[in-house]
Amino acid sequence: MLNRNFTFLWCSQVISTYGNKLTIFSLPLVGIYVYNTNILETSIITVLSFLPSMLFSTLVGVIVDKGNKRIIGIITNLICFIISIVLFIFSLAKLLPLEGFYILIFLLNTCLLFGSISFYSQVPMLVDKNELKRANYRMEISNSIIDTTAPSIAGIIFSVLSAPFIFILDGVSFILASICQMFISSEVEKNIKKSNKKVVVHIKDAYKYIYKERLLFVLAISYFMLVFGIGIFQSIQFYYLSKVLEISTTIIGIIISIGNIGLVISSIISFKMSEYFGGGKTIIIAFFLYALGFLLYYLSDSASVILIVIANILIGAAMPLYNVNASTIRQGKVDISMLGSVSAIWRIFGRGMIPLGATIGGFISTVFSVKFSILISFIVVFISMIVCIFSKELRKYKE
């Protein structure tokens, strides 16, 4: 499975993801401590981070399906490098107004959209179909390690140097990721059939494909609801920890890193769990862990930091269980000529809904309270779990 081409693709993902995780952790903190953003302005950072997925995913998916996925990935990383350097210079000098900071966040995440869709569309080209789950399993292990260590490192950098320096590390990661992708053989994609349909027809067929394939349809709807709840939660999470509970940035990083141990444990056992329970039931377990984690966040206060740690462990453990199995289902059931567009629709149903959730989270927190927003996020995620439980196709899915 781990052939030369896949190894280089995997390396590029590991490197760029590490840099991205540092930046994701830092963006709201830059807003809070450099631009003195309030709760609504801070939630806008989350909105702009995910808005490109809502606006451009469908078009990007078609471009990836029709274009050279390897070249798209390389160019995307180079553009992201430039944006990261600009973010560093202007944030460090404090010359960039908040509106300019917002614009750069939007541009960076638009480019990352191209990189993400092109990456996951390349995996089935480089790995045999019967090895897709094992490939996704390996990638989830590396992702879990990154998610576990990145927040604490970002917190230390923020305290010792300042958040803008994280943008430098992210920029370097984009350059190294591009170099890795340059070593992937250009011959791989020559034999891949490209779609010759018109853009509108191609997009329409991708939506039809998901609608007609009952398993994909259930996954899409439940994922839409799940990420909507996550959007509400993410928009106020750092504000809740830093301003409501008055926890320092260093401690926040440590708490999240300790909590993310669940990511590592879950990623290691995710392959065996899906073999034992079946892919469908493992996804249902993931939804349950998400719901329980959000509930514990709601029940926490400044005197019960341990509940926050446990909540992060549960939320972290849910991610690999869902990602490994949902990605494998999608990559295995969708023709590679349409995989980019179908993956793009997933981002619309998923990450594209985070801006909506984040906007609502910021509004609810402003009108009512941050605590009430967390409760709403739990309710939404709980409903998404019920959708999965009542799906016969998902419960019976074994692969």
Coordinates of all heavy atoms in Angstrom, one line a residue, residues 187-255:
E187 N 3.1 10.4 -14.2 CA 2.5 9.4 -15.0 C 1.2 8.8 -14.5 O 0.4 8.3 -15.2 CB 3.5 8.2 -15.2 CG 4.8 8.7 -15.9 CD 4.6 9.1 -17.3 OE1 3.8 8.5 -18.0 OE2 5.2 10.1 -17.7
V188 N 1.0 8.9 -13.1 CA -0.1 8.3 -12.5 C -1.4 8.8 -13.0 O -2.4 8.1 -13.3 CB -0.1 8.6 -11.0 CG1 -1.4 8.1 -10.3 CG2 1.1 7.9 -10.4
E189 N -1.5 10.1 -13.3 CA -2.7 10.8 -13.7 C -3.0 10.7 -15.2 O -4.1 11.0 -15.6 CB -2.7 12.2 -13.2 CG -4.1 12.8 -13.0 CD -4.1 14.0 -12.0 OE1 -3.1 14.2 -11.3 OE2 -5.1 14.7 -12.0
K190 N -2.1 10.2 -16.0 CA -2.3 10.2 -17.4 C -3.3 9.2 -17.8 O -4.0 9.4 -18.8 CB -0.9 9.9 -18.1 CG 0.1 11.0 -18.1 CD 1.3 10.7 -18.9 CE 2.2 11.9 -19.0 NZ 3.5 11.6 -19.8
N191 N -3.5 8.2 -17.1 CA -4.5 7.1 -17.4 C -5.8 7.3 -16.8 O -6.7 6.5 -16.9 CB -3.9 5.7 -17.1 CG -2.7 5.4 -17.9 OD1 -2.5 5.8 -19.0 ND2 -1.7 4.7 -17.2
I192 N -6.0 8.4 -16.0 CA -7.2 8.7 -15.3 C -8.2 9.4 -16.2 O -7.9 10.4 -16.8 CB -7.0 9.5 -14.0 CG1 -6.0 8.8 -13.1 CG2 -8.3 9.8 -13.3 CD1 -6.6 7.5 -12.6
K193 N -9.4 8.8 -16.3 CA -10.4 9.4 -17.2 C -10.9 10.7 -16.6 O -11.3 10.8 -15.4 CB -11.6 8.4 -17.3 CG -12.7 8.9 -18.2 CD -13.9 7.9 -18.2 CE -15.0 8.5 -19.1 NZ -16.2 7.5 -19.1
K194 N -10.9 11.8 -17.4 CA -11.4 13.1 -17.0 C -12.8 13.3 -17.5 O -13.2 12.8 -18.5 CB -10.5 14.2 -17.5 CG -9.0 14.0 -17.2 CD -8.7 14.3 -15.7 CE -7.3 14.3 -15.4 NZ -7.0 14.5 -14.0
S195 N -13.6 14.0 -16.7 CA -14.9 14.3 -17.1 C -14.9 15.4 -18.2 O -14.2 16.4 -18.2 CB -15.7 14.9 -15.9 OG -17.0 15.4 -16.3
N196 N -15.7 15.1 -19.2 CA -15.9 16.0 -20.4 C -17.3 16.7 -20.4 O -17.7 17.3 -21.3 CB -15.6 15.4 -21.7 CG -16.5 14.2 -21.9 OD1 -17.4 13.9 -21.1 ND2 -16.3 13.5 -23.0
K197 N -18.0 16.5 -19.3 CA -19.3 17.2 -19.2 C -19.2 18.7 -18.9 O -18.2 19.1 -18.4 CB -20.1 16.5 -18.0 CG -20.3 15.0 -18.1 CD -21.0 14.5 -16.9 CE -21.1 13.0 -16.9 NZ -21.7 12.4 -15.7
K198 N -20.2 19.4 -19.2 CA -20.3 20.8 -18.9 C -20.3 20.9 -17.4 O -20.8 20.1 -16.7 CB -21.5 21.5 -19.6 CG -21.4 21.5 -21.1 CD -22.6 22.2 -21.7 CE -22.5 22.3 -23.2 NZ -23.7 23.0 -23.8
V199 N -19.9 22.1 -16.9 CA -19.8 22.3 -15.5 C -21.1 22.1 -14.8 O -21.2 21.4 -13.8 CB -19.3 23.7 -15.2 CG1 -19.3 24.0 -13.7 CG2 -17.8 23.9 -15.7
V200 N -22.2 22.7 -15.3 CA -23.5 22.6 -14.7 C -24.0 21.1 -14.6 O -24.5 20.6 -13.6 CB -24.5 23.5 -15.4 CG1 -25.9 23.3 -14.8 CG2 -24.1 24.9 -15.3
V201 N -23.8 20.4 -15.7 CA -24.2 19.0 -15.8 C -23.4 18.2 -14.9 O -23.9 17.3 -14.2 CB -24.0 18.5 -17.3 CG1 -24.3 17.0 -17.3 CG2 -24.9 19.2 -18.2
H202 N -22.1 18.4 -14.8 CA -21.2 17.7 -13.9 C -21.6 17.8 -12.4 O -21.7 16.9 -11.7 CB -19.8 18.1 -14.1 CG -18.8 17.3 -13.4 ND1 -18.1 16.2 -13.9 CD2 -18.3 17.4 -12.1 CE1 -17.3 15.7 -13.1 NE2 -17.3 16.4 -12.0
I203 N -21.9 19.1 -12.0 CA -22.4 19.3 -10.7 C -23.7 18.7 -10.4 O -23.9 18.1 -9.3 CB -22.5 20.9 -10.5 CG1 -21.1 21.5 -10.5 CG2 -23.1 21.2 -9.1 CD1 -21.1 23.0 -10.5
K204 N -24.6 18.8 -11.4 CA -26.0 18.2 -11.2 C -25.9 16.7 -11.0 O -26.5 16.1 -10.2 CB -26.8 18.5 -12.4 CG -28.3 18.1 -12.3 CD -29.0 18.5 -13.6 CE -30.5 18.0 -13.5 NZ -31.2 18.4 -14.7
D205 N -25.0 16.0 -11.8 CA -24.8 14.6 -11.7 C -24.2 14.2 -10.4 O -24.6 13.1 -9.8 CB -23.9 14.1 -12.8 CG -24.6 14.1 -14.2 OD1 -25.9 14.3 -14.2 OD2 -24.0 13.9 -15.2
A206 N -23.4 15.0 -9.8 CA -22.8 14.7 -8.5 C -23.8 14.7 -7.4 O -23.9 13.8 -6.5 CB -21.6 15.7 -8.2
Y207 N -24.7 15.7 -7.4 CA -25.8 15.8 -6.5 C -26.7 14.6 -6.6 O -27.2 14.0 -5.6 CB -26.6 17.1 -6.6 CG -25.9 18.2 -5.8 CD1 -25.1 19.1 -6.5 CD2 -26.2 18.4 -4.5 CE1 -24.5 20.2 -5.8 CE2 -25.6 19.5 -3.8 CZ -24.8 20.4 -4.5 OH -24.2 21.4 -3.8
K208 N -27.0 14.2 -7.9 CA -27.9 13.1 -8.1 C -27.3 11.8 -7.6 O -28.0 10.9 -7.1 CB -28.1 12.9 -9.7 CG -29.2 13.9 -10.2 CD -29.4 13.6 -11.7 CE -30.4 14.5 -12.3 NZ -30.6 14.2 -13.8
Y209 N -26.0 11.7 -7.8 CA -25.3 10.5 -7.3 C -25.5 10.3 -5.8 O -25.8 9.2 -5.3 CB -23.8 10.6 -7.7 CG -23.1 9.3 -7.6 CD1 -22.9 8.6 -8.8 CD2 -22.5 8.8 -6.4 CE1 -22.2 7.4 -8.7 CE2 -21.8 7.7 -6.3 CZ -21.7 6.9 -7.5 OH -21.0 5.7 -7.4
I210 N -25.3 11.4 -5.1 CA -25.5 11.3 -3.6 C -26.9 11.0 -3.2 O -27.2 10.2 -2.3 CB -25.0 12.6 -2.9 CG1 -23.5 12.8 -3.1 CG2 -25.4 12.6 -1.4 CD1 -22.9 14.0 -2.5
Y211 N -27.8 11.6 -3.9 CA -29.3 11.4 -3.6 C -29.7 10.0 -3.8 O -30.5 9.4 -3.0 CB -30.1 12.4 -4.4 CG -31.6 12.3 -4.1 CD1 -32.2 12.8 -3.0 CD2 -32.4 11.6 -5.1 CE1 -33.5 12.7 -2.7 CE2 -33.8 11.5 -4.8 CZ -34.3 12.0 -3.7 OH -35.7 11.9 -3.4
K212 N -29.3 9.4 -5.0 CA -29.7 8.1 -5.3 C -29.0 7.0 -4.5 O -29.6 5.9 -4.3 CB -29.4 7.8 -6.8 CG -30.3 8.7 -7.7 CD -30.0 8.4 -9.2 CE -31.0 9.2 -10.1 NZ -30.7 8.9 -11.5
E213 N -27.8 7.3 -4.1 CA -27.0 6.3 -3.2 C -27.5 6.5 -1.8 O -27.0 7.5 -1.1 CB -25.5 6.5 -3.4 CG -24.7 5.5 -2.6 CD -24.9 4.1 -2.9 OE1 -24.8 3.7 -4.1 OE2 -25.3 3.4 -2.0
R214 N -28.4 5.7 -1.3 CA -29.0 6.0 0.0 C -28.0 6.1 1.2 O -28.1 7.0 2.0 CB -30.0 4.8 0.3 CG -30.8 5.0 1.6 CD -31.8 6.2 1.3 NE -32.6 6.4 2.5 CZ -33.5 7.4 2.6 NH1 -33.7 8.2 1.6 NH2 -34.2 7.5 3.7
L215 N -26.9 5.3 1.2 CA -26.0 5.4 2.2 C -25.2 6.7 2.2 O -25.1 7.3 3.3 CB -24.9 4.2 2.1 CG -23.9 4.1 3.2 CD1 -24.5 4.0 4.5 CD2 -22.9 2.9 2.9
L216 N -24.8 7.2 1.0 CA -24.2 8.5 0.9 C -25.1 9.6 1.3 O -24.7 10.6 2.0 CB -23.7 8.7 -0.5 CG -22.5 7.8 -1.0 CD1 -22.2 8.1 -2.4 CD2 -21.3 8.0 -0.1
F217 N -26.4 9.5 1.0 CA -27.4 10.5 1.4 C -27.5 10.7 2.9 O -27.5 11.8 3.4 CB -28.7 10.1 0.7 CG -29.8 11.2 1.0 CD1 -29.8 12.4 0.4 CD2 -30.8 10.9 1.9 CE1 -30.8 13.3 0.6 CE2 -31.8 11.8 2.1 CZ -31.8 13.0 1.5
V218 N -27.6 9.5 3.6 CA -27.7 9.6 5.0 C -26.5 10.2 5.7 O -26.5 11.0 6.6 CB -28.0 8.1 5.6 CG1 -27.9 8.1 7.1 CG2 -29.4 7.7 5.2
L219 N -25.3 9.8 5.1 CA -24.1 10.3 5.6 C -24.0 11.8 5.4 O -23.5 12.5 6.3 CB -22.9 9.6 5.0 CG -22.5 8.2 5.4 CD1 -21.4 7.7 4.6 CD2 -22.1 8.2 6.9
A220 N -24.5 12.3 4.3 CA -24.4 13.7 4.0 C -25.3 14.5 4.9 O -24.9 15.5 5.4 CB -24.8 13.9 2.5
I221 N -26.5 14.0 5.1 CA -27.5 14.8 6.0 C -27.0 14.8 7.4 O -27.0 15.9 8.1 CB -28.9 14.1 5.9 CG1 -29.5 14.3 4.5 CG2 -29.8 14.8 6.9 CD1 -29.6 15.7 4.0
S222 N -26.6 13.7 7.9 CA -26.1 13.6 9.3 C -24.9 14.4 9.5 O -24.7 15.1 10.5 CB -25.9 12.2 9.8 OG -24.9 11.5 8.9
Y223 N -24.0 14.4 8.5 CA -22.8 15.2 8.6 C -23.1 16.7 8.6 O -22.4 17.5 9.3 CB -21.8 14.8 7.4 CG -20.5 15.4 7.5 CD1 -19.6 15.2 8.6 CD2 -19.9 16.2 6.5 CE1 -18.4 15.8 8.7 CE2 -18.7 16.7 6.5 CZ -17.9 16.5 7.6 OH -16.6 17.1 7.7
F224 N -24.0 17.1 7.7 CA -24.5 18.5 7.7 C -24.9 19.0 9.1 O -24.5 20.0 9.5 CB -25.6 18.6 6.7 CG -26.5 19.8 6.9 CD1 -26.1 21.1 6.6 CD2 -27.8 19.6 7.5 CE1 -26.9 22.2 6.8 CE2 -28.6 20.7 7.8 CZ -28.2 22.0 7.4
M225 N -25.7 18.2 9.8 CA -26.2 18.6 11.1 C -25.0 18.6 12.1 O -24.9 19.5 13.0 CB -27.3 17.6 11.5 CG -28.5 17.7 10.6 SD -29.8 16.5 11.2 CE -30.3 17.3 12.7
L226 N -24.2 17.5 12.0 CA -23.1 17.4 13.0 C -22.2 18.7 12.9 O -21.9 19.3 13.9 CB -22.2 16.2 12.6 CG -20.9 16.1 13.4 CD1 -21.1 15.9 14.9 CD2 -20.1 14.9 12.8
V227 N -21.8 19.1 11.7 CA -20.9 20.2 11.5 C -21.5 21.5 11.8 O -20.9 22.5 12.2 CB -20.2 20.1 10.1 CG1 -19.2 21.3 9.9 CG2 -19.5 18.8 9.9
F228 N -22.8 21.6 11.6 CA -23.6 22.8 12.0 C -23.4 23.0 13.5 O -23.2 24.1 14.0 CB -25.0 22.7 11.6 CG -25.9 23.8 12.0 CD1 -25.7 25.1 11.4 CD2 -26.9 23.7 13.0 CE1 -26.5 26.2 11.8 CE2 -27.6 24.8 13.4 CZ -27.4 26.0 12.8
G229 N -23.6 21.9 14.2 CA -23.4 22.0 15.7 C -22.0 22.3 16.1 O -21.7 23.1 17.0
I230 N -21.0 21.7 15.4 CA -19.6 22.0 15.6 C -19.3 23.5 15.3 O -18.5 24.1 16.1 CB -18.7 21.1 14.7 CG1 -18.8 19.6 15.2 CG2 -17.3 21.6 14.8 CD1 -18.1 18.6 14.4
G231 N -19.9 24.0 14.3 CA -19.7 25.4 14.0 C -20.2 26.4 15.1 O -19.5 27.3 15.4
I232 N -21.3 26.1 15.7 CA -21.8 26.8 16.8 C -20.8 26.8 18.0 O -20.4 27.8 18.6 CB -23.2 26.3 17.3 CG1 -24.2 26.5 16.2 CG2 -23.6 27.0 18.6 CD1 -25.6 25.9 16.6
F233 N -20.3 25.6 18.2 CA -19.4 25.3 19.3 C -18.0 26.0 19.1 O -17.5 26.7 19.9 CB -19.2 23.8 19.5 CG -18.2 23.5 20.5 CD1 -18.4 23.6 21.9 CD2 -16.9 23.0 20.1 CE1 -17.5 23.2 22.8 CE2 -16.0 22.7 21.1 CZ -16.3 22.8 22.4
Q234 N -17.5 25.8 17.9 CA -16.1 26.3 17.6 C -16.1 27.8 17.6 O -15.0 28.4 18.0 CB -15.6 25.8 16.2 CG -15.1 24.4 16.2 CD -14.5 24.1 14.9 OE1 -14.6 24.8 13.9 NE2 -13.8 22.9 14.9
S235 N -17.2 28.5 17.3 CA -17.1 30.0 17.2 C -17.0 30.6 18.6 O -16.5 31.7 18.7 CB -18.4 30.5 16.6 OG -19.6 30.2 17.4
I236 N -17.3 29.9 19.6 CA -17.3 30.4 21.0 C -16.4 29.7 21.9 O -16.2 30.0 23.1 CB -18.7 30.6 21.6 CG1 -19.5 29.3 21.4 CG2 -19.4 31.7 20.9 CD1 -19.3 28.3 22.5
Q237 N -15.8 28.6 21.5 CA -15.0 27.7 22.3 C -13.8 28.5 23.0 O -13.7 28.4 24.2 CB -14.4 26.5 21.6 CG -13.6 25.6 22.4 CD -12.9 24.5 21.6 OE1 -12.8 24.5 20.4 NE2 -12.4 23.5 22.3
F238 N -13.0 29.2 22.2 CA -11.8 29.9 22.8 C -12.3 31.1 23.7 O -11.6 31.4 24.7 CB -10.9 30.3 21.7 CG -10.1 29.2 21.1 CD1 -10.4 28.6 19.9 CD2 -9.0 28.7 21.8 CE1 -9.7 27.6 19.4 CE2 -8.2 27.7 21.3 CZ -8.5 27.1 20.1
Y239 N -13.3 31.7 23.2 CA -13.8 32.8 24.0 C -14.4 32.3 25.4 O -14.1 32.9 26.4 CB -15.0 33.5 23.3 CG -15.3 34.9 23.9 CD1 -14.7 36.0 23.5 CD2 -16.3 35.0 24.9 CE1 -15.1 37.3 24.0 CE2 -16.6 36.2 25.5 CZ -16.0 37.3 25.0 OH -16.3 38.5 25.6
Y240 N -15.0 31.2 25.3 CA -15.6 30.5 26.6 C -14.4 30.2 27.5 O -14.5 30.5 28.7 CB -16.4 29.3 26.2 CG -16.9 28.5 27.4 CD1 -17.9 29.0 28.2 CD2 -16.4 27.2 27.7 CE1 -18.3 28.3 29.3 CE2 -16.9 26.5 28.7 CZ -17.9 27.0 29.6 OH -18.3 26.3 30.6
L241 N -13.4 29.6 27.0 CA -12.2 29.1 27.8 C -11.4 30.3 28.3 O -11.0 30.4 29.5 CB -11.3 28.2 27.0 CG -11.9 26.8 26.6 CD1 -11.0 26.1 25.7 CD2 -12.3 26.0 27.8
S242 N -11.2 31.3 27.5 CA -10.3 32.4 27.8 C -11.0 33.5 28.6 O -10.4 34.1 29.5 CB -9.6 33.0 26.6 OG -10.5 33.5 25.7
K243 N -12.2 33.9 28.2 CA -12.9 35.0 28.8 C -13.9 34.6 29.9 O -14.0 35.3 30.9 CB -13.6 35.8 27.7 CG -12.6 36.5 26.7 CD -11.7 37.5 27.4 CE -10.8 38.2 26.4 NZ -9.9 39.2 27.0
V244 N -14.7 33.6 29.6 CA -15.7 33.2 30.6 C -15.0 32.4 31.8 O -15.3 32.7 32.9 CB -16.8 32.3 29.9 CG1 -17.8 31.8 31.0 CG2 -17.5 33.1 28.8
L245 N -14.2 31.4 31.4 CA -13.6 30.6 32.5 C -12.2 31.2 32.9 O -11.6 30.8 33.9 CB -13.3 29.2 32.0 CG -14.6 28.4 31.6 CD1 -14.3 26.9 31.3 CD2 -15.7 28.5 32.7
E246 N -11.7 32.2 32.1 CA -10.5 33.0 32.5 C -9.3 32.0 32.6 O -8.5 32.1 33.5 CB -10.7 33.8 33.8 CG -11.7 34.8 33.6 CD -11.9 35.7 34.9 OE1 -11.5 35.2 36.0 OE2 -12.4 36.8 34.8
I247 N -9.1 31.2 31.6 CA -8.0 30.2 31.5 C -6.9 30.8 30.6 O -7.2 31.4 29.5 CB -8.4 28.9 31.0 CG1 -9.5 28.2 31.9 CG2 -7.2 27.9 30.8 CD1 -10.1 27.0 31.4
S248 N -5.7 30.8 31.0 CA -4.6 31.4 30.2 C -4.4 30.6 28.9 O -4.8 29.5 28.8 CB -3.3 31.4 31.0 OG -2.8 30.1 31.1
T249 N -3.8 31.3 27.9 CA -3.6 30.7 26.6 C -2.7 29.4 26.7 O -2.9 28.5 26.0 CB -3.0 31.7 25.6 OG1 -1.7 32.2 26.1 CG2 -3.9 32.8 25.3
T250 N -1.7 29.5 27.5 CA -0.8 28.3 27.7 C -1.6 27.1 28.2 O -1.4 26.0 27.7 CB 0.4 28.7 28.6 OG1 1.1 29.8 28.1 CG2 1.3 27.5 28.8
I251 N -2.4 27.4 29.2 CA -3.2 26.3 29.8 C -4.2 25.8 28.9 O -4.5 24.6 28.8 CB -3.9 26.8 31.1 CG1 -2.8 27.2 32.2 CG2 -4.8 25.7 31.7 CD1 -1.9 26.1 32.6
I252 N -4.8 26.7 28.1 CA -5.8 26.3 27.0 C -5.1 25.3 26.1 O -5.7 24.2 25.7 CB -6.3 27.5 26.3 CG1 -7.2 28.3 27.2 CG2 -7.1 27.0 25.0 CD1 -7.7 29.6 26.5
G253 N -3.9 25.6 25.6 CA -3.2 24.8 24.7 C -2.9 23.4 25.3 O -3.0 22.4 24.7
I254 N -2.5 23.4 26.6 CA -2.2 22.2 27.3 C -3.4 21.3 27.5 O -3.4 20.1 27.3 CB -1.5 22.4 28.6 CG1 -0.1 23.1 28.4 CG2 -1.4 21.2 29.5 CD1 0.5 23.5 29.7
I255 N -4.5 22.0 27.9 CA -5.8 21.3 28.1 C -6.3 20.6 26.8 O -6.6 19.4 26.8 CB -6.9 22.3 28.5 CG1 -6.7 22.7 30.0 CG2 -8.3 21.6 28.4 CD1 -7.6 23.7 30.5

